[in-house]
Amino acid sequence: ARPAVPYNPFRVHPLEYAGLSCADKVDKVRKEMKDKKATMAVFGALDDVAYLFNVRCKGDVDTCPVGIAYATITDDQVNLYCDSRKVESPEIQEHLSEVTIKPYEDIVKDIQEHASQDGNKIWIDKSRSNLALATVIPEKALVDKQNAIIPMKACKNEAELEGMRKAHIVDGAAMAKFMAWLEDK
């Protein structure tokens, strides 16, 4: 049998490290949606969802601070699909106050409903999505292009660059300490 979907809680990734608010990121995605003539953007990669909402999670994936979730953005709604236990804390509730929380398993149904309406186009990066999401969108409603999050993550803002600099200093000190220990052995 398939294991249960993990429900470890999300925590807020502070703006001082993220550099851009969730609202700013959603605005950028919506601008790209207009350029692509898409009425919905779907995000299935866990790191894209974590980046978009400035949230992190410990325990869903052993080696990465992401949570099991999906996201969609339309012109008038932003949805996070996850187990409701992931978003119970007051801090997360406040942080995601402009986001509609939906059950994890509703994503396919919502995409199908959106795709069934004439003229709607769904933007999904099939190369970063699972088969269930990639195959539910009819060809006439599909915009299969790199999603808007990828370039945002690639082009670091000043807060992200400063975080990288600090991480390199800490990593360098740890490496020096390790090398000194290794020489003594």
Side-chain angles (χ1 to χ4, degrees), residues 4 7 11 17 30 34-35 45-46 54 60 69 78 84 100 115 122 125 133 143 150 173 176:
Y7 57 87
R11 66 172 172 78
Y17 302 119
R30 284 185 171 142
K34 283 183 181 28
D35 293 345
L46 304 182
N54 290 337
D60 281 10
V78 179
S84 62
T100 302
I122 300 172
D125 185 344
L133 299 186
V143 178
I150 301 299

Side-chain angles (χ1 to χ4, degrees), residues 16-76:
E16 68 182 281
Y17 302 119
L20 284 175
S21 70
C22 175
D24 291 336
K25 293 174 184 179
V26 168
D27 288 344
K28 286 184 170 202
V29 171
R30 284 185 171 142
K31 181 183 178 302
E32 292 289 323
M33 286 171 62
K34 283 183 181 28
D35 293 345
K36 304 260 187 302
K37 297 179 177 32
T39 55
M40 175 186 269
V42 177
F43 302 96
L46 304 182
D47 57 315
D48 292 345
V49 175
Y51 179 87
L52 174 64
F53 293 120
N54 290 337
V55 295
R56 301 297 184 264
C57 180
K58 184 176 181 182
D60 281 10
V61 179
D62 287 338
T63 58
C64 196
V66 296
I68 306 296
Y70 295 111
T72 60
I73 297 175
T74 63
D75 287 336
D76 59 355

Side-chain angles (χ1 to χ4, degrees), residues 103-164:
Y104 179 76
E105 49 282 338
D106 282 4
I107 182 81
V108 171
K109 174 184 65 71
D110 286 359
I111 291 172
Q112 286 174 319
E113 285 176 10
H114 192 83
S116 71
Q117 297 170 16
D118 280 345
N120 280 353
K121 295 280 191 182
I122 300 172
W123 179 16
I124 188 169
D125 185 344
K126 287 173 68 172
S127 71
R128 294 182 54 78
S129 181
N130 62 36
L131 189 63
L133 299 186
T135 58
V136 74
I137 305 166
E139 197 63 38
K140 68 180 175 65
L142 176 65
V143 178
D144 180 16
K145 303 270 185 205
Q146 176 180 293
N147 74 44
I149 300 293
I150 301 299
M152 281 192 261
K153 289 191 306 187
C155 298
K156 304 293 184 218
N157 61 54
E158 193 52 46
E160 293 168 321
L161 289 170
E162 184 58 27
M164 288 176 66

